[in-house]
């Protein structure tokens, strides 16, 4: 059965219509992202300006809400390309604190989204994750996706309380921060400096050295960062089950 969209504003989350755990997850998230020392100043500003959108997924049986919600969110982002709209999906705290379990959960959700994508893969984005210009796409829109995992102990910039979250960032929101943008490299380095002060370990060296489009970079490696600066894995989990 088709699900309806559940695209919410912060007023929706705090207005009393959502379940208690959703408001709790949002308050934890807001406390972190609103901290003036939080590394991503763009996220802090987007929250302050009301440009972040939200949804919640009650569990495995509720995943069907994500495709229509993400489709509506992408339409909103396209309509306002100069606003840094993000989508945050909250999941209930199930007590799970095993990092590998949440990592598997993240990749399984991405697989489910690809299976339910209403649009064909965009022609200008390589479909092979091993290509340096590949990135996750949905409804024809390329985006950066990552989880916030409660099991993080050192990488605090990827932990937003005791709930599992997923963040969807359309590629367009990174305007001004790319290496070929005036001042883009300076902005990136400033964010990495703030990450180094916020986390209990330096930014992962493979990310500092490379950027999207660099021949040695693979975008998917940035999605789920390990909780230590160990080498990143070589094969994208979305390729599992495919011939080598």
């Amino acid at each position: 059965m088709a699900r309806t969209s559940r695209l919410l504003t912060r007023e929706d989350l705090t207005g009393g219509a959502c379940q208690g755990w959703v408001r709790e997850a949002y308050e934890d998230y807001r406390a972190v992202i609103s901290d003036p020392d939080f590394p991503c100043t763009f996220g802090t500003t987007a929250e302050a300006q009301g440009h972040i959108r939200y949804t919640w997924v009650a569990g495995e049986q509720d995943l069907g809400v994500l495709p229509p919600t993400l489709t509506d969110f992408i339409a909103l982002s396209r309509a306002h390309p100069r606003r840094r709209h993000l989508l945050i999906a909250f999941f209930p705290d199930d007590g799970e604190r095993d990092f590998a379990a949440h990592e598997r959960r993240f990749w399984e959700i991405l697989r489910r989204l690809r299976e339910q994508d209403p649009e064909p893969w965009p022609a200008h984005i390589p479909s092979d994750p091993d290509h340096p210009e590949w990135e996750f796409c949905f409804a024809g829109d390329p985006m950066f996706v990552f989880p916030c995992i409660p099991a993080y102990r050192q990488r605090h910039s990827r932990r937003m309380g005791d709930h599992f979250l997923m963040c969807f960032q359309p590629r367009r929101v990174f305007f001004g921060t790319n290496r070929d943008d005036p001042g883009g490299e300076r902005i990136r380095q400033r964010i990495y400096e703030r990450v180094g002060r916020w986390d209990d370990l330096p930014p992962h060296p493979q990310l500092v050295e490379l950027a999207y489009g660099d021949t040695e970079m693979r975008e998917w490696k940035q999605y789920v960062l390990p909780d230590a600066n160990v080498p990143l894995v070589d094969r994208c989990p979305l390729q599992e089950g495919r011939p080598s």
Side-chain angles (χ1 to χ4, degrees):
M1 182 175 65
R3 301 293 182 93
T4 57
S5 173
R6 187 185 291 152
L7 187 62
L8 307 172
T9 65
R10 62 186 179 189
E11 289 76 18
D12 294 325
L13 294 182
T14 58
C18 292
Q19 300 179 42
W21 73 264
V22 180
R23 292 194 299 275
E24 177 183 329
Y26 169 67
E27 292 298 337
D28 287 348
Y29 172 82
R30 184 173 67 174
V32 175
I33 202 170
S34 298
D35 190 307
D37 293 326
F38 186 71
C40 183
T41 56
F42 293 116
T44 302
T45 300
E47 168 63 26
Q49 295 177 342
H51 292 164
I52 300 182
R53 293 297 182 269
Y54 309 90
T55 191
W56 53 271
V57 180
E60 184 76 16
Q61 75 285 353
D62 199 31
L63 281 175
V65 76
L66 268 182
T69 300
L70 191 51
T71 299
D72 284 355
F73 167 74
I74 288 169
L76 171 71
S77 176
R78 288 175 178 168
H80 303 280
R82 302 303 290 182
R83 293 182 182 175
R84 300 188 194 273
H85 282 300
L86 317 175
L87 175 66
I88 304 297
F90 297 111
F91 295 75
D93 178 15
D94 58 3
E96 179 64 74
R97 294 297 181 269
D98 179 69
F99 184 91
H102 279 307
E103 183 176 18
R104 290 192 297 270
R105 183 184 197 182
F106 169 79
W107 289 111
E108 180 57 31
I109 291 171
L110 284 196
R111 288 192 197 94
R112 295 274 292 271
L113 284 172
R114 286 194 63 173
E115 293 170 358
Q116 300 178 55
D117 193 339
E119 302 290 339
W121 192 266
H124 66 289
I125 301 294
S127 59
D128 183 0
D130 198 39
H131 193 286
E133 295 182 2
W134 178 92
E135 53 192 322
F136 183 76
C137 297
F138 190 84
D141 233 41
M143 63 187 67
F144 185 82
V145 191
F146 66 91
C148 292
I149 295 177
Y152 276 121
R153 290 296 174 262
Q154 299 189 90
R155 208 173 293 281
H156 304 299
S157 54
R158 291 288 185 96
R159 185 179 190 273
M160 297 285 182
D162 292 331
H163 292 80
F164 176 83
L165 281 61
M166 287 181 63
C167 180
F168 299 85
Q169 299 176 307
R171 172 57 56 182
R172 68 179 63 84
V173 307
F174 295 103
F175 63 85
T177 67
N178 298 310
R179 281 186 170 170
D180 55 354
D181 293 323
E185 182 65 18
R186 184 173 64 254
I187 292 172
R188 292 177 67 252
Q189 292 305 318
R190 187 182 306 135
I191 291 175
Y192 284 135
E193 290 171 3
R194 292 171 65 91
V195 169
R197 294 192 295 269
W198 185 269
D199 290 351
D200 285 342
L201 73 171
H204 199 288
Q206 287 180 260
L207 306 187
V208 176
E209 296 168 3
L210 301 172
Y212 173 71
D214 288 352
T215 57
E216 300 303 315
M217 171 53 74
R218 299 297 180 266
E219 178 82 352
W220 60 268
K221 292 188 177 186
Q222 301 185 49
Y223 291 180
V224 188
L225 296 178
D227 201 23
N229 284 339
V230 297
L232 303 177
V233 296
D234 292 327
R235 183 174 175 80
C236 179
L238 291 175
Q239 295 174 300
E240 291 179 3
R242 296 182 179 185
S244 301

